[in-house]
């Protein structure tokens, strides 16, 4: 966090307390003791900015950048909204994940219009990416970072063991629709006695994200009980009852171990997940995972973030310049190479560094595949108020409860009731 300075006494106190910290004590004006402009950027998970920020500082010797990184998106956004309500404490640049974007957009007035304070960046992004962060008055309050175009990952050896065809035509047929996907999963589970996918939530979420309208309609009315999610819930929970789920909650140690132990054969696979698959599966499974652009019912987008500049920033113009630089095509390519954050910039999507690169673990040109998947997306799903909360705190836990034995119909009724309570 940015340090404060109020005269020599505070400077000495700061020096004593932070003797082991490399960042110098700053001032209320956002300027360090040696006259540098201090900028802070708050991110979560992996944005791939570690080396980029060093590069920016080297090119801008008058600027010092500190990254505040939070492990999980939920914790980051709780902090974001708390400090928005308090009116102080926000970083100069705040990352916002798409699931929480709607809550930010309802308070767009607390963020700078980047069309006014930032450089001209018209035409940089996929159209749906820009529209999702444009306020009703036309203000652009965020620059797009990554996106999560959807593909399907599968273990070729496990599918073959389950009698699932792995030639091009066979894969296309298996992953053509959710019905064909679950039918193949039923066959696989019956023949092998093993799970088809990792968890119900990791399948339900991309199914839900394919719809143009999510948990809320465009008038911010909760529509979870009438938007088609009940039918999707039925498909997923039926698959759970058939033994298709490994019942492994995402991001837990058990889920991570599940990759290495071949606990499931398929994985819904947004671009940002490839690094996790490689890390968790280990070198012994190199070349066994395959990525296919054949995704049930046509694909979509799952995930992606934005960089915003709150009006609390003492240096909004400089913050906007940094945010624009970080999201430029060249830097998006570098972030992709560092952390597999998939670009949202049109120029980056056509860059040979992306389209001609081969992922050694998968043995495929995954950049080209995901670029094609991204271009198939026409409209980003509208995310209403508390969308992220409903997905993370209500739907996900309810699906986990079904996997642990709760009646699926009763769990669905509770999902609707809890969502209604959360939005009152």
């Amino acid at each position: 966090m940015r340090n404060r300075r109020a005269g020599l006494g505070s400077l000495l106190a700061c020096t004593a307390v932070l003797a082991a910290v490399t960042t110098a004590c700053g001032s209320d004006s956002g300027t360090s003791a040696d006259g540098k402009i201090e900028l802070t950027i708050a991110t979560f998970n992996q944005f791939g900015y570690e080396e980029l920020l060093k590069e920016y500082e080297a090119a801008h010797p008058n600027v010092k950048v500190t990254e505040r990184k939070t492990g999980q998106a939920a914790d980051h956004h709780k902090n974001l909204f708390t400090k928005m309500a308090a009116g102080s404490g926000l970083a100069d640049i705040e990352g916002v994940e798409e699931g929480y974007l709607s809550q930010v957009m309802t308070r767009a007035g607390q963020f700078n219009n980047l069309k006014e304070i930032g450089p001209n960046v018209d035409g940089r992004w996929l159209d749906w990416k820009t529209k999702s962060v444009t306020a009703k008055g036309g203000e652009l309050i965020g620059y797009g970072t990554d996106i999560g175009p959807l593909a399907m990952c599968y273990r070729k050896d496990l599918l073959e063991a389950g009698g699932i065809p792995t030639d091009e035509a066979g894969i296309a047929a298996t992953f053509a629709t959710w019905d064909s996907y679950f039918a193949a999963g039923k066959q696989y589970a019956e023949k092998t006695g093993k799970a088809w996918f990792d968890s119900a939530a990791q399948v339900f979420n991309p199914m839900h994200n394919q719809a143009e309208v999510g948990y809320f309609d465009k008038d911010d009315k909760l529509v979870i009980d009438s938007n088609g999610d009940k039918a999707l819930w039925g498909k997923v929970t039926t698959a759970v009852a058939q033994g298709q789920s490994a019942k492994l909650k995402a991001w837990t140690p058990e889920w991570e171990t599940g990759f290495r132990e071949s606990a499931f054969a398929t994985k819904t696979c947004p671009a940002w997940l490839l690094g996790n698959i490689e890390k968790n599966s280990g070198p012994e499974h190199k070349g066994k995972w395959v990525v296919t652009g054949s995704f049930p019912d046509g694909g979509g987008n799952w995930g992606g973030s934005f960089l915003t500049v709150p009006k609390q920033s003492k240096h909004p113009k400089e913050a906007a310049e940094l945010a624009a630089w970080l999201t430029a095509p060249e830097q998006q390519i570098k972030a992709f190479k560092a952390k597999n954050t998939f670009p949202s910039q049109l120029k980056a999507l056509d860059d040979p560094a992306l389209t001609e690169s081969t992922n050694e673990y998968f043995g495929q040109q995954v950049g080209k595949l995901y670029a094609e998947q991204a271009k198939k997306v026409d409209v980003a799903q509208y995310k209403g108020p508390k969308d992220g909360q409903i997905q993370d705190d209500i739907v996900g836990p309810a699906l986990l409860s079904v996997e642990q034995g709760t009646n699926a119909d009763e769990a669905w009724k509770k999902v609707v009731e809890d969502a209604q309570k959360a939005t009152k």
Side-chain angles (χ1 to χ4, degrees):
M1 296 178 66
R2 182 186 305 139
N3 300 307
R4 296 185 179 276
R5 174 175 176 260
L8 180 59
S10 293
L11 176 59
L12 293 175
C14 181
T15 303
V17 173
L18 301 180
V21 182
T22 57
T23 303
C25 291
S27 71
D28 289 332
S29 63
T31 304
S32 65
D34 57 2
K36 289 186 177 182
I37 294 172
E38 287 189 316
L39 297 177
T40 49
I41 175 171
T43 63
F44 48 91
N45 296 337
Q46 295 290 347
F47 276 58
Y49 289 165
E50 289 82 359
E51 296 303 316
L52 288 178
L53 295 178
K54 295 177 184 177
E55 182 180 338
Y56 191 83
E57 287 181 330
H60 300 78
N62 65 319
V63 176
K64 170 64 178 176
V65 185
T66 300
E67 184 176 16
R68 306 175 186 170
K69 186 185 294 185
T70 304
Q72 297 294 328
D75 293 335
H76 166 86
H77 290 88
K78 287 178 182 177
N79 180 68
L80 171 68
F81 295 126
T82 296
K83 291 181 177 178
M84 286 175 65
S88 64
L90 291 177
D92 295 285
I93 300 173
E94 288 278 349
V96 175
E97 201 271 334
E98 66 158 13
Y100 298 85
L101 181 61
S102 60
Q103 290 172 268
V104 168
M105 297 303 289
T106 60
R107 310 170 198 179
Q110 294 192 40
F111 296 85
N112 282 283
N113 180 4
L114 299 177
K115 289 182 179 179
E116 294 180 351
I117 68 167
N120 183 6
V121 292
D122 288 345
R124 269 190 178 183
W125 291 274
L126 290 161
D127 186 56
W128 56 266
K129 184 72 171 177
T130 302
K131 284 183 178 179
S132 62
V133 76
T134 301
K136 293 179 180 179
E139 301 87 355
L140 180 69
I141 70 162
Y143 292 143
T145 59
D146 62 318
I147 51 176
L150 283 164
M152 185 68 75
C153 291
Y154 64 91
R155 279 278 299 275
K156 183 177 180 181
D157 57 331
L158 297 184
L159 263 64
E160 290 174 344
I164 309 296
T166 58
D167 61 302
E168 185 175 348
I171 290 299
T174 295
F175 299 125
T177 66
W178 288 112
D179 287 340
S180 66
Y181 174 75
F182 290 128
K186 183 174 184 291
Q187 174 187 324
Y188 178 83
E190 289 175 346
K191 184 168 183 177
T192 66
K194 296 182 178 180
W196 182 235
F197 54 83
D198 54 340
S199 71
Q202 288 287 293
V203 175
F204 180 87
N205 286 351
M207 294 173 74
H208 165 83
N209 283 344
Q210 286 180 322
E212 184 173 345
V213 175
Y215 298 123
F216 297 84
D217 65 17
K218 293 183 179 179
D219 293 323
D220 292 335
K221 177 185 176 182
L222 181 69
V223 292
I224 191 171
D225 58 343
S226 61
N227 66 351
D229 272 348
K230 184 177 181 180
L232 302 182
W233 180 274
K235 292 179 187 289
V236 174
T237 55
T238 296
V240 170
Q242 294 170 346
Q244 295 188 40
S245 175
K247 305 176 183 179
L248 298 171
K249 184 179 179 181
W251 316 115
T252 62
E254 294 77 13
W255 178 77
E256 294 174 351
T257 302
F259 284 90
R260 191 178 295 270
E261 296 181 346
S262 305
F264 45 89
T266 68
K267 179 74 192 79
T268 50
C269 206
W272 44 263
L273 193 73
L274 296 186
N276 297 93
I277 292 178
E278 177 178 350
K279 176 184 176 183
N280 296 332
S281 298
E284 63 267 36
H285 295 306
K286 180 179 180 180
K288 294 181 180 179
W289 280 101
V290 180
V291 190
T292 177
S294 296
F295 192 86
D297 292 328
N301 184 75
W302 182 9
S305 300
F306 303 84
L307 296 183
T308 66
V309 178
K311 288 185 176 177
Q312 292 182 23
S313 171
K314 298 293 195 300
H315 298 286
K317 184 176 183 298
E318 291 81 1
E321 290 174 355
L322 171 57
W325 184 85
L326 287 169
T327 56
E330 298 80 7
Q331 279 64 255
Q332 288 208 343
I333 291 294
K334 293 175 184 177
F336 170 74
K337 290 180 178 179
K339 299 295 182 181
N340 284 306
T341 55
F342 202 78
S344 58
Q345 297 263 4
L346 290 170
K347 186 177 178 181
L349 291 175
D350 292 327
D351 193 318
L354 178 76
T355 60
E356 296 179 7
S357 64
T358 297
N359 184 298
E360 292 186 5
Y361 191 82
F362 290 85
Q364 295 176 253
Q365 290 184 329
V366 296
K368 179 180 181 181
L369 186 152
Y370 277 108
E372 293 172 350
Q373 295 299 97
K375 292 176 182 178
K376 292 178 183 177
V377 180
D378 294 324
V379 180
Q381 184 181 84
Y382 178 75
K383 304 288 186 181
K386 299 188 177 180
D387 191 282
Q389 178 184 342
I390 290 174
Q391 179 166 299
D392 295 341
D393 300 339
I394 297 175
V395 174
L399 285 167
L400 181 61
S401 74
V402 172
E403 291 175 319
Q404 295 172 341
T406 300
N407 178 273
D409 292 335
E410 291 301 317
W412 175 253
K413 290 179 182 178
K414 188 173 188 306
V415 164
V416 175
E417 291 172 358
D418 288 349
Q420 290 171 340
K421 291 177 183 176
T423 54
K424 284 184 178 179

